[in-house]
Amino acid sequence: MRRASSTPTQTAHETVRNIRHALIRRGAALVVGLLAAVAWVPGGLGAQVGDRASIDTAPPPAHWKIPPAPVRSPDESMRMMDLQPGFRIELVASEPLVQDPIAFAFDHRNQLWVLEWPSYNWPLHDVLPGLEPQPTPVSRLVVLKDTDGDGRMDTRTVFAQMDWPRGIQLVDGGVLVFALPEIVVLRDTDGDDKADLREVLQGGLPIPVNPHLAPSSPSWTLDNWTYGLQVDQRLRLAGDTTLKVPSGRLAGQWGMSHDDFGRLFFSYNQDHIRGSLVPAAYATRNPHYTASAGVDVRVGMDNDVWPHAITPGVNRRAQLRDDGRLAAFTANAAPSVYRGDQFPEAYRGNVFVGESAGRLIRRSVLTERDGIITGKNAYAEREFLFSHDERFRPVFSATGPDGALYVADMYRGIIEGHIFMTTFLRNQIVERGLQHPFGGMGRIYRIVHEGRPLGTLPTIAPGNVAAWVPVLAHPNGHWRDMAQRMLVASRSKAVVPAVRTLAMSHEDPRVRLHGLWTLEGLGGADDDLVRARLTDTSPHVRIAALRVAEGRLPAAAMRRAVMALADDSDVSVRRQVLYTLGASDASDVGDARMRLLRRDVAAPFVIDAFMSGLAGREAQTLDTVVRSPSWASDRPEHRALVTALATAISNEGRAEQVAALRRLSSESNAGVPWQREAVLEGVQASNRARQPATTAAPPRDAATAALVEQGRAAYALCAACHQADGRGLPSLAPPLAGSPRVTGPPDALVDIVLRGRDEDPAYPSMPPLAALPDDQLSAILTYVRQAWGNAAPAISADAVRARRGSATGAMRP
């Protein structure tokens, strides 16, 4: 931990220099150089880095009536918003009080903490007319206050300045910030609302070329841990100690929220609600098998959007319907679970998602069945909110302390990322002056239901820890969370009896849930309490009690109480029993887990729940399965189990067990044919098969070796999506390690990078890289063909040049 100097921020010159160095180290200079190389031609354009097809360069159809897009005052902008009947929108703060907001949080004193990112898309200063190169501005975390109680913020204090801000989470006595490349806790020790203490919790986080794939969005949830997007650990602050443990990676792009039961929700640009429906930490518990099922699940089933008017300011013309309206999500931000009490009851648990390019906010109604959650638009071909103001950019939302829904509007003419700029969008920007002003504006709004008053805010005197206990029963989830955090942070044993009473007997299961987790955080959840909550009437409380019970399984009485839930009527509870028993190697646990597996093997995520706690016992289990008549029938779930077991065994790599796998998958084996096929599939899917340690790259002469090293540096352009280890990201980018497309015919691979690729429905389309010179493409392609166990020959610059020349340009018709 270190105390900040008397000048807590760097000078502008130092900041710019450090950002430039950080970006160059990660290859972002590639993109800036590409953008700068695209010349502006009056009346027309050269190809842009985001152009993928001829339609990306075509002008809008003549019948589109595209309105002007001037800067409007907050009052003018609000008058241009279509909001569902029964609601109104109110201004909370606007420029200059708030500028370029990307996230916010209310503290226990109802002060509003806002993260501002003025440098977003800053490389456009080098390439758009009227935007001259300028020093990159620093980002800010500011504190806004409403000193006269009129509902609008009226004072602003800069708490801290930083580079690359990617999310905040209020914590005990301070604020946790993803300020890349670090995760820090900033504290104010003298009460002036300015940070004077800075503790680095973690360093070395990546700053990718594409900021949408950077680590972001620290989010505390009910289990007292803080999770983030694009990171592999979860954090927990416990006094002066910071706990960091591996956790399954949540691969969302911006913003994360949790429901009343602690399940996490996030999104991708083209997939507006994803969810972690099981605790992400279980994904990495078995070192031989990544049990990721349930950690990143599609929740929003309808990605079509329904703007109420034309929305031409998007990247690609092909994204628009014939009438000029956006057809599907493309720029999602911060799905927010509404947990307040100001909206009618039917809105509780709904998810609100801002689509910043489409200038709308979607309301999705969630439905749960057998532990699976799905979401659907609440309106037929309409949205909860749509703005006719081109510059309205809803990038973040959250339930406020008064129960209203708060929305951050970055208020910019350009919101699409600079590395995806198309000719179509650039024309829109320049013709309508969307680049002026570039930044420095922003609004925060409050959406209120007109039929209900705003909620009353609790007032807790400083130091009165006991006064937080009844707040655990507040009807607004914002305050229940706040009370739990404050109580756990207090480390007060004096409040344990009162919290225990709530956990044991409150009529609302949400309150019992908070009581249980609060006691867990305070170290006051004894065995009697846990066993009592294992029989709670709410399945969500039973699931939480099972999680709390994991550290107590050495006690036979606790194991028996857990195993009694193997016959629970709720499949999501039985699935959690599998996860929980996986924390024990007691002799009576194995049979119970196998019985549960046989019963629920076809249920969602159950195989991964079983595999999560099986480390070291996979070979024995596979032997049991292939010999047992109970598993002999050829069913999809039986195949999936055998494949998972074979994958884990192959990953572990013990010679005698791998040899046994080879015998099982051999044609000479007299076993069941489908089992041989499933074993072979598991071996092929294993990490060892995808990244064979024994496979060497082909021999390299000096020229090829130099090309590989050049490509290693330039690959930073691709690593944001495909990852530094070539494994890709689920639903975002396919793996390059072990990919037949990468190691296959060179011409096909060159065509993909020159023209882009969008035929695979499992992943968003890939933009073309035709703007890169032939030698740079040659280096990147040679590197990926010889990295991570890939062993394919180099691709020369001449080969790239030949393919470029043989195509009809770099774009497809």
Side-chain angles (χ1 to χ4, degrees):
M1 185 180 295
R2 62 178 184 270
R3 187 170 297 277
S5 66
S6 58
T7 55
T9 62
Q10 300 167 305
T11 65
H13 175 76
E14 291 171 329
T15 301
V16 173
R17 180 192 62 206
N18 290 342
I19 290 177
R20 181 182 298 116
H21 288 172
L23 292 176
I24 289 173
R25 283 197 303 270
R26 291 161 177 82
L30 279 171
V31 176
V32 176
L34 282 174
L35 289 166
V38 178
W40 168 251
V41 181
L45 289 173
Q48 300 294 296
V49 292
D51 288 341
R52 180 176 303 135
S54 57
I55 199 169
D56 290 339
T57 64
H63 67 275
W64 286 7
K65 304 303 180 185
I66 300 177
V71 172
R72 293 180 167 89
S73 70
D75 287 342
E76 291 172 326
S77 187
M78 285 190 292
R79 287 195 292 270
M80 299 184 72
M81 295 180 187
D82 297 341
L83 191 57
Q84 285 293 323
F87 292 88
R88 69 176 183 271
I89 191 161
E90 301 173 347
L91 183 67
V92 175
S94 65
E95 67 280 348
L97 200 67
V98 63
Q99 303 164 36
D100 309 293
I102 61 169
F104 59 78
F106 284 93
D107 67 14
H108 62 286
R109 295 176 291 175
N110 300 316
Q111 298 178 137
L112 184 58
W113 297 66
V114 183
L115 194 60
E116 300 178 333
W117 194 9
S119 62
Y120 173 67
N121 263 345
W122 200 256
L124 291 175
H125 278 75
D126 291 334
V127 296
L128 286 177
L131 292 181
E132 301 301 325
Q134 296 180 20
T136 307
V138 294
S139 296
R140 302 169 292 264
L141 176 58
V142 303
V143 181
L144 306 183
K145 298 180 183 179
D146 172 14
T147 61
D148 57 11
D150 66 351
R152 288 195 181 186
M153 302 296 164
D154 47 48
T155 68
R156 164 191 173 95
T157 304
V158 177
F159 183 79
Q161 294 182 332
M162 65 204 70
D163 303 330
W164 272 87
R166 295 297 292 158
I168 58 173
Q169 172 63 57
L170 300 179
V171 295
D172 178 19
V175 56
L176 186 149
V177 186
F178 276 29
L180 302 187
E182 295 175 329
I183 299 175
V184 300
V185 172
L186 304 174
R187 303 184 193 275
D188 167 24
T189 63
D190 56 11
D192 63 354
D193 289 331
K194 296 181 180 180
D196 49 41
L197 203 63
R198 186 177 191 273
E199 178 186 1
V200 178
L201 302 185
Q202 186 173 342
L205 273 67
I207 302 179
V209 175
N210 180 1
H212 302 290
L213 294 176
S216 73
S217 311
S219 300
W220 174 94
T221 192
L222 273 62
D223 63 3
N224 299 307
W225 289 87
T226 292
Y227 298 81
L229 299 176
Q230 305 293 352
V231 293
D232 297 319
Q233 291 182 318
R234 56 178 179 159
L235 304 173
R236 187 168 183 171
L237 303 182
D240 295 331
T241 303
T242 301
L243 305 177
K244 294 186 288 186
V245 301
S247 184
R249 173 173 288 211
L250 304 174
Q253 293 183 253
W254 176 247
M256 186 155 56
S257 179
H258 66 267
D259 66 7
D260 281 340
F261 311 111
R263 294 171 297 197
L264 294 164
F265 295 86
F266 43 94
S267 71
Y268 305 146
N269 272 342
Q270 294 168 304
D271 200 348
H272 71 294
I273 311 176
R274 308 284 295 193
S276 181
L277 306 185
V278 300
Y282 292 128
T284 57
R285 186 166 64 173
N286 185 339
H288 312 142
Y289 184 86
T290 301
S292 58
V295 171
D296 187 347
V297 178
R298 172 174 285 181
V299 173
M301 296 292 109
D302 50 349
N303 281 309
D304 289 348
V305 295
W306 303 99
H308 305 175
I310 192 171
T311 54
V314 301
N315 252 1
R316 298 181 182 90
R317 164 67 180 86
Q319 294 172 311
L320 302 176
R321 296 185 173 93
D322 291 341
D323 60 4
R325 294 186 298 158
L326 184 65
F329 280 102
T330 184
N332 305 321
S336 173
V337 181
Y338 180 74
R339 301 175 59 221
D341 57 337
Q342 204 276 325
F343 289 9
E345 184 63 27
Y347 289 77
R348 191 185 298 275
N350 291 183
V351 174
F352 292 84
V353 179
E355 166 39 89
S356 55
R359 313 193 308 268
L360 60 88
I361 296 177
R362 161 69 54 86
R363 172 194 166 205
S364 288
V365 179
L366 303 189
T367 302
E368 182 172 355
R369 182 176 181 180
D370 294 336
I372 302 297
I373 301 175
T374 55
K376 183 179 180 181
N377 188 359
Y379 311 101
E381 299 189 4
R382 297 286 287 181
E383 299 295 346
F384 178 71
L385 183 150
F386 173 78
S387 176
H388 296 264
D389 182 351
E390 181 77 22
R391 297 169 186 263
F392 173 68
R393 306 298 186 187
V395 297
F396 192 86
S397 63
T399 306
D402 53 11
L405 181 69
Y406 284 71
V407 177
D409 171 13
M410 205 173 186
Y411 205 76
R412 286 193 170 201
I414 309 170
I415 198 67
E416 297 276 13
H418 62 272
I419 67 173
F420 301 110
M421 180 74 68
T422 60
T423 301
F424 175 82
L425 177 57
R426 181 167 175 167
N427 275 327
Q428 288 293 311
I429 291 169
V430 176
E431 290 172 6
R432 294 193 287 159
L434 296 177
Q435 75 272 42
H436 301 298
F438 183 79
M441 308 190 77
R443 291 89 191 262
I444 294 177
Y445 297 108
R446 172 175 51 234
I447 298 176
V448 178
H449 192 269
E450 294 175 328
R452 294 173 172 232
L454 289 170
T456 302
L457 311 183
T459 302
I460 308 295
N464 189 358
V465 177
W468 283 107
V469 175
V471 183
L472 286 171
H474 199 282
N476 183 348
H478 166 85
W479 286 108
R480 295 196 302 275
D481 289 357
M482 184 74 70
Q484 180 178 329
R485 293 205 308 269
M486 297 297 288
L487 288 165
V488 171
S490 76
R491 297 180 286 282
S492 170
K493 299 298 184 181
V495 300
V496 166
V499 176
R500 182 185 176 90
T501 297
L502 293 178
M504 291 291 286
S505 59
H506 198 280
E507 62 181 2
D508 188 336
R510 297 171 303 174
V511 179
R512 299 197 299 274
L513 190 66
H514 276 282
L516 175 60
W517 282 118
T518 301
L519 291 170
E520 187 273 344
L522 288 170
D526 59 32
D527 286 0
D528 289 342
L529 171 77
V530 174
R531 285 196 296 267
R533 298 285 53 83
L534 286 172
T535 61
D536 196 281
T537 56
S538 166
H540 298 291
V541 178
R542 298 199 297 276
I543 288 171
L546 283 166
R547 293 178 62 190
V548 176
E550 285 180 18
R552 306 159 189 266
L553 292 179
M558 186 63 71
R559 287 202 307 277
R560 288 194 296 270
V562 168
M563 287 189 287
L565 292 182
D567 294 319
D568 195 278
S569 60
D570 191 298
V571 66
S572 59
V573 175
R574 299 197 301 271
R575 183 174 62 212
Q576 181 60 48
V577 173
L578 272 175
Y579 280 122
T580 295
L581 290 179
S584 172
D585 58 2
S587 58
D588 55 348
V589 163
D591 288 344
R593 294 184 79 237
M594 284 300 294
R595 288 195 302 271
L596 260 174
L597 178 66
R598 280 197 294 270
R599 172 175 176 169
D600 290 329
V601 65
F605 323 144
V606 162
I607 290 175
D608 271 26
F610 178 76
M611 295 295 300
S612 171
L614 197 64
R617 299 185 294 275
E618 296 93 341
Q620 177 185 350
T621 304
L622 179 60
D623 185 66
T624 298
V625 168
V626 299
R627 294 175 182 274
S628 171
S630 300
W631 299 97
S633 58
D634 185 2
R635 295 164 51 185
E637 56 270 23
H638 291 177
R639 282 181 176 253
L641 174 62
V642 171
T643 295
L645 292 166
T647 300
I649 294 166
S650 182
N651 283 337
E652 186 178 9
R654 293 174 60 181
E656 69 279 10
Q657 294 180 358
V658 172
L661 285 181
R662 293 196 187 100
R663 290 192 294 272
L664 274 175
S665 61
S666 169
E667 287 295 335
S668 62
N669 179 29
V672 181
W674 72 261
Q675 292 178 348
R676 293 200 304 269
E677 296 167 3
V679 168
L680 183 60
E681 184 178 346
V683 172
Q684 292 172 339
S686 72
N687 293 339
R688 189 170 295 273
R690 288 193 296 112
Q691 295 181 271
T694 58
T695 301
R700 298 171 183 162
D701 55 27
T704 301
L707 196 61
V708 167
E709 290 310 306
Q710 179 187 349
R712 190 190 309 276
Y715 176 73
L717 181 64
C718 314
C721 296
H722 294 287
Q723 300 296 284
D725 58 9
R727 294 193 183 203
L729 286 172
S731 303
L732 282 178
L736 303 180
S739 167
R741 288 183 179 271
V742 171
T743 57
D747 286 355
L749 182 61
V750 173
D751 287 349
I752 288 173
V753 297
L754 287 177
R755 305 177 188 182
R757 177 171 175 262
D758 60 5
E759 72 271 18
D760 189 343
Y763 299 99
S765 51
M766 170 187 158
L769 300 178
L772 285 172
D774 297 333
D775 60 344
Q776 204 158 58
L777 283 177
S778 164
I780 293 173
L781 295 179
T782 297
Y783 170 68
V784 301
R785 283 163 65 86
Q786 298 193 9
W788 320 300
N790 292 341
I795 294 179
S796 68
D798 287 343
V800 175
R801 193 173 301 113
R803 291 306 298 171
R804 194 191 298 268
S806 67
T808 56
M811 296 174 292
R812 292 173 293 182

